[in-house]
Amino acid sequence: MTNEFNFDEIVDRSNTYSVKYEALKTLFGRDDITPLWVADMEFRSPKCIRDQLEKYVQAGIYGYAAEPPQMKPVIARWMLQEHGWKVECDWISFIPGIVRGIGLAVNFFTGPGDKVVIQSPVYHPFTNVPQGNGRKVLRNPLKEGKMDLDNLDSLLTAEGPVKMMILCSPHNPGGYLWSREDLVQVAEICHRHGTMVISDEIHSDLCLWGNHNICFASVSNLAAENSITFGAPSKTFNIPGFASSYAIIPNQELAKPFYGWLEANELNCPPIFASLGMITAFTEAKPWRDAALRYIEGNILYLEDKFSAFRAGGVQLVEPVRPQSSYLVWLDCRNLLRRLAGRYNLQPEDQALLEDYFINKVKVGLNSGTMFGPEGLGYMRLNAGCPRSMLKFDLPEVK
Ligand SMILES: Cc1ncc(COP(=O)(O)O)c(C=O)c1O
């Protein structure tokens, strides 16, 4: 194993302004716990990316940067090779991060008071960004990890007009990949109701166990006409600090005005680390990505084993949902919480007992399930993108 691919290495992140470490005390009340929350990985980014940036840093002049001409062709090639989706370069624009991209789209395509639908439990900015911009968020809850498409149709009928749907594909948390049939139906329902779809595909390059991702816009003409796809190398190659992301819009009637507005505000100009990081990732770092995914699968199997032995009264207390994509593991802790709370029908206030158990007994910092929506009651999210030794925590017995 070369040093580059040594995923067992513990990398010291002190003095690197890492949110995952710096915010421990504020969020968890203590900083002597293992941080397994924010979705970045504990692995050094691929050496080819580090080398490329080092070359730039060594040159010593940090002037205004032009977008490298190869950037969009490189993204288009990646989409074709990895996802089988043929994308034209003029469908693509740089955007400075995906949450920012969602904010920009919400501001450009909807107005104050407009409605936006999400499928919860889901990545919390899907709620916070529209709400923070004065939009109304409607929830179409997932049913045990499946989309409730009948309810989506009814909701859009009852609440219409609903301007926008924000789709998480693959889904965070839960790591679900959506089937072609589901995506075709989402496209049809949303098109029929005049609801444009923002498809956040940031986790799409991290498919596990031989799974394949299907890009939303590629499933039908209705999907292509009525959607914006956001993607990024950030999660996949562990470079989220570069805020390097892209939008893909096949429908030029949507792309031209939106991209014109981004251009007018210089929001489509990639900072140099963002463009160099993206190009190097997509052209040279695939072997690193593939090796990282195999290591992450090993971590997930390790966690499954560990939790299967964590029982009381013959009942498994924590059941990890095996992610189909990405390194985030959605832990179904409802049995544990029932035991901690001493009741079967869990109440929102019980979640604090679960948080307390993981922070103060197990001594790990996880994301609490309810931050992704009320449907996350009894769940926690664990980041398994780390050396296996960081997952070797004990699970103290529960009375
Ligand atoms: C679904 C999803 N979208 C977006 C992001 C963040 O993207 P960015 O850092 O580019 O804003 C995350 C990070 O966890 C995510 O899970």
Side-chain angles (χ1 to χ4, degrees):
M1 187 180 273
T2 67
N3 195 36
E4 183 183 7
F5 290 176
N6 181 7
F7 299 109
D8 285 323
E9 182 187 0
I10 298 282
V11 179
D12 179 9
R13 295 182 72 181
S14 53
N15 304 315
T16 63
Y17 303 100
S18 149
V19 171
K20 205 192 243 172
Y21 289 81
E22 298 301 325
L24 275 180
K25 187 106 188 165
T26 314
L27 284 178
F28 300 97
R30 57 195 295 173
D31 54 12
D32 60 343
I33 58 178
T34 306
L36 301 173
W37 61 295
V38 155
D40 60 27
M41 300 195 274
E42 294 302 307
F43 309 141
R44 244 187 248 290
S45 303
K47 187 166 182 312
C48 52
I49 298 180
R50 288 184 276 128
D51 287 348
Q52 185 64 40
L53 299 182
E54 221 159 82
K55 239 191 272 167
Y56 178 81
V57 168
Q58 287 303 329
I61 293 184
Y62 311 124
Y64 291 111
E67 177 178 306
Q70 70 272 38
M71 192 182 83
K72 286 176 186 159
V74 160
I75 296 170
R77 199 174 329 126
W78 179 263
M79 296 310 292
L80 186 61
Q81 284 171 356
E82 289 291 308
H83 303 283
W85 183 25
K86 190 168 179 331
V87 165
E88 304 294 336
C89 287
D90 59 1
W91 301 356
I92 303 173
S93 171
F94 174 82
I95 50 159
I98 297 217
V99 174
R100 288 175 200 137
I102 293 171
L104 294 168
V106 163
N107 275 281
F108 189 79
F109 290 103
T110 74
D114 279 349
K115 294 172 186 167
V116 175
V117 66
I118 61 170
Q119 306 200 95
S120 46
V122 71
Y123 182 53
H124 51 294
F126 283 28
T127 303
N128 299 347
V129 170
Q131 272 180 0
N133 283 289
R135 276 57 167 175
K136 185 170 176 217
V137 173
L138 307 175
R139 288 188 290 111
N140 177 45
L142 298 179
K143 273 193 182 158
E144 297 294 328
K146 302 266 181 291
M147 290 197 218
D148 188 346
L149 294 169
D150 291 338
N151 193 59
L152 178 65
D153 202 354
S154 315
L155 190 67
L156 297 185
T157 305
E159 294 276 353
V162 176
K163 283 281 175 65
M164 182 177 274
M165 173 171 188
I166 312 177
L167 177 71
C168 201
S169 182
H171 195 85
N172 167 21
Y176 313 120
L177 285 164
W178 304 123
S179 68
R180 183 176 297 278
E181 294 69 34
D182 279 348
L183 296 174
V184 166
Q185 276 203 61
V186 168
E188 189 282 316
I189 294 167
C190 288
H191 189 267
R192 182 154 42 79
H193 289 279
T195 305
M196 79 178 294
V197 178
I198 304 294
S199 186
D200 175 344
E201 303 190 4
I202 194 169
H203 294 284
S204 63
D205 293 320
L206 289 163
C207 289
L208 301 165
W209 327 106
N211 283 306
H212 292 285
N213 170 69
I214 300 170
C215 296
F216 175 74
S218 72
V219 299
S220 67
N221 287 338
L222 294 183
E225 253 175 49
N226 189 35
S227 68
I228 298 182
T229 298
F230 288 134
S234 49
K235 297 281 167 215
T236 314
F237 301 95
N238 209 24
I239 51 171
F242 297 164
S244 180
S245 318
Y246 52 85
I248 303 178
I249 313 182
N251 181 347
Q252 293 305 295
E253 284 176 27
L254 299 177
K256 283 216 169 94
F258 183 51
Y259 289 169
W261 180 69
L262 294 182
E263 167 109 43
N265 294 288
E266 291 197 359
L267 290 162
N268 62 348
C269 308
I272 191 68
F273 275 21
S275 56
L276 290 183
M278 172 136 57
I279 291 165
T280 313
F282 285 163
T283 51
E284 295 179 43
K286 196 172 144 89
W288 182 94
R289 188 276 310 261
D290 294 344
L293 290 177
R294 300 296 80 78
Y295 188 89
I296 289 162
E297 286 169 352
N299 280 355
I300 294 166
L301 294 173
Y302 171 80
L303 288 167
E304 286 178 352
D305 259 11
K306 182 200 251 341
F307 285 118
S308 73
F310 182 43
R311 294 172 172 268
V315 172
Q316 185 168 334
L317 298 178
V318 173
E319 295 190 32
V321 174
R322 181 182 279 198
Q324 295 172 301
S325 190
S326 210
Y327 49 83
L328 304 170
V329 186
W330 191 225
L331 301 176
D332 179 349
C333 309
R334 287 177 291 182
N335 286 335
L336 171 61
L337 187 51
R338 286 183 184 119
R339 215 164 171 90
L340 292 168
R343 56 177 158 197
Y344 191 81
N345 288 319
L346 297 173
Q347 300 301 312
E349 61 272 20
D350 295 334
Q351 186 74 9
L353 297 169
L354 203 51
E355 293 165 10
D356 175 68
Y357 175 80
F358 280 104
I359 297 168
N360 296 314
K361 302 282 195 315
V362 187
K363 300 210 173 70
V364 291
L366 310 183
N367 292 88
S368 188
T370 46
M371 77 185 280
F372 304 101
E375 304 82 2
L377 177 62
Y379 286 79
M380 301 293 280
R381 193 193 74 178
L382 184 153
N383 178 344
C386 60
R388 199 150 306 148
S389 58
M390 288 179 69
L391 302 176
K392 299 209 164 159
F393 47 79
D394 290 326
L395 292 161
E397 203 180 309
V398 179
K399 295 277 169 322

